[in-house]
Amino acid sequence: MPTAIAVTSPDLVLPPHDRQTPPAAVQPLGTLEDSLTGMHALIEQHGYVIALYPASAETAVTRRLHTVRSVLESDRIALLGIDLPPLGIALLAQQLRQLSVCDFSPGVLASAARLLAHYIYAGALLGSVAKLDRVPVSLKSHAKSWVPGAQFAVLANPRAELIRVGQEDLPGPEFGTRLLSAAGQPPSDWVTSTLAPAWQVQGAATVPLPEESVRWWGTNRLVEFAAGLHDASVLYQLVSSVRRDECRWCGLELIGDRCGFCAAPLPPPPSAQELSATTVRAASPVRALPRGAT
């Protein structure tokens, strides 16, 4: 069975691209007992679980996830705090679900989350930035947000950008993506009619707005969007092109500089001085003294 991918709420589970893409689980559940039972069942069925949660999640959510892992005493649960807006996390979970049926080991799949997140363009069209505190906003933009009818396009990942709609263009990806959008109140077609053509997306879809989005963006006058790689073969090529190492703590495979399961960092590469000393030792082997010598 493929490695299980879990998210913190049902509205972060996007529809699968095809029949091969497995569904996502939801963790934690309503009570600690239900969460323990559900996580144990996932481990028994799938072997390993990768649970994504927003870096901005409430303390109760993260505490319960860590409690579940501690009580189960399992090293097969990866808890990954992701610093993305809600729709971006949903897209990342969908990508990991696509890759979970490939031949990647659980360790590679978990550490691939950070790599894939770098290629997700996540943002929103906002009617106000007065309460936006997750992306830097200038005093001038705050003042303009009180102008009736003002709209702002904000990019939170992979870098922070904020523009006034109609006056500037929002820089987008330089590779083929599929665009997801989720509308709050009032709805707007700017994302699909203006942003999508400007970013030359390869497809677009509308999904329900995650419940957490209003809190994350500081307003319900928004249309959240996320663009990312969607072809499973391209995702596979991206992850498989990265060098793999073995975690010195838990022994799982990983890519990048940190294990997704035990969070142990990859040892830094040896310095030039250390390499030089190793070369000298290899070139000058120690000879054994003859018998009787002191």
Side-chain angles (χ1 to χ4, degrees):
M1 291 294 292
T3 299
I5 308 299
V7 290
T8 53
S9 63
D11 55 17
L12 297 180
V13 181
L14 296 176
H17 282 311
D18 49 47
R19 294 182 180 179
Q20 284 72 42
T21 303
V26 175
Q27 277 288 341
L29 299 176
T31 66
L32 177 58
E33 183 179 357
D34 288 343
S35 300
L36 288 167
T37 303
M39 188 69 82
H40 179 72
L42 288 174
I43 296 173
E44 288 293 309
Q45 183 178 0
H46 296 271
Y48 289 85
V49 179
I50 299 172
L52 306 180
Y53 65 90
S56 60
E58 297 178 352
T59 305
V61 174
T62 57
R63 182 185 295 124
R64 178 164 293 177
L65 284 171
H66 283 86
T67 299
V68 167
R69 186 170 64 178
S70 297
V71 172
L72 293 178
E73 296 183 338
S74 176
D75 56 0
R76 298 190 173 195
I77 303 172
L79 302 180
L80 306 180
I82 306 297
D83 192 15
L84 282 174
L87 193 58
I89 292 179
L91 177 55
L92 176 60
Q94 186 182 59
Q95 292 175 337
L96 291 176
R97 288 159 55 195
Q98 289 177 269
L99 292 175
S100 68
V101 296
C102 300
D103 57 358
F104 293 125
S105 66
V108 169
L109 194 61
S111 52
R114 293 174 63 195
L115 171 67
L116 297 176
H118 179 73
Y119 292 91
I120 291 178
Y121 280 67
L125 173 70
L126 304 178
S128 171
V129 293
K131 296 183 179 180
L132 179 63
D133 59 3
R134 304 191 187 279
V135 178
V137 180
S138 67
L139 185 61
K140 185 177 179 181
S141 296
H142 268 299
K144 288 182 178 179
S145 70
W146 295 102
V147 177
Q151 287 188 316
F152 298 86
V154 183
L155 193 65
N157 191 81
R159 60 185 177 274
E161 298 277 355
L162 187 150
I163 66 163
R164 177 83 179 268
V165 172
Q167 297 182 358
E168 303 170 78
D169 295 324
L170 191 67
E174 297 180 353
F175 50 89
T177 61
R178 181 172 182 262
L179 181 69
L180 300 176
S181 62
Q185 295 295 330
S188 170
D189 65 351
W190 178 84
V191 172
T192 54
S193 65
T194 303
L195 186 67
W199 283 9
Q200 299 181 350
V201 300
Q202 298 173 341
T206 302
V207 296
L209 184 72
E211 183 178 349
E212 178 67 11
S213 296
V214 171
R215 186 174 76 91
W216 204 97
W217 293 104
T219 179
N220 64 352
R221 296 163 55 199
L222 82 155
V223 179
E224 189 173 9
F225 56 83
L229 300 169
H230 64 97
D231 189 292
S233 62
V234 176
L235 291 168
Y236 181 90
Q237 184 178 5
L238 174 63
V239 175
S240 60
S241 66
V242 181
R243 171 184 165 178
R244 302 186 192 186
D245 292 284
E246 184 177 293
C247 178
R248 61 178 178 175
W249 182 258
C250 68
L252 290 175
E253 278 189 312
L254 62 89
I255 60 175
D257 60 358
R258 185 173 298 275
C259 178
F261 278 85
C262 69
L266 190 69
S271 64
Q273 218 172 16
E274 291 171 329
L275 286 174
S276 178
T278 303
T279 303
V280 170
R281 287 196 298 269
S284 305
V286 177
R287 296 181 179 179
L289 291 173
R291 289 189 178 184
T294 58

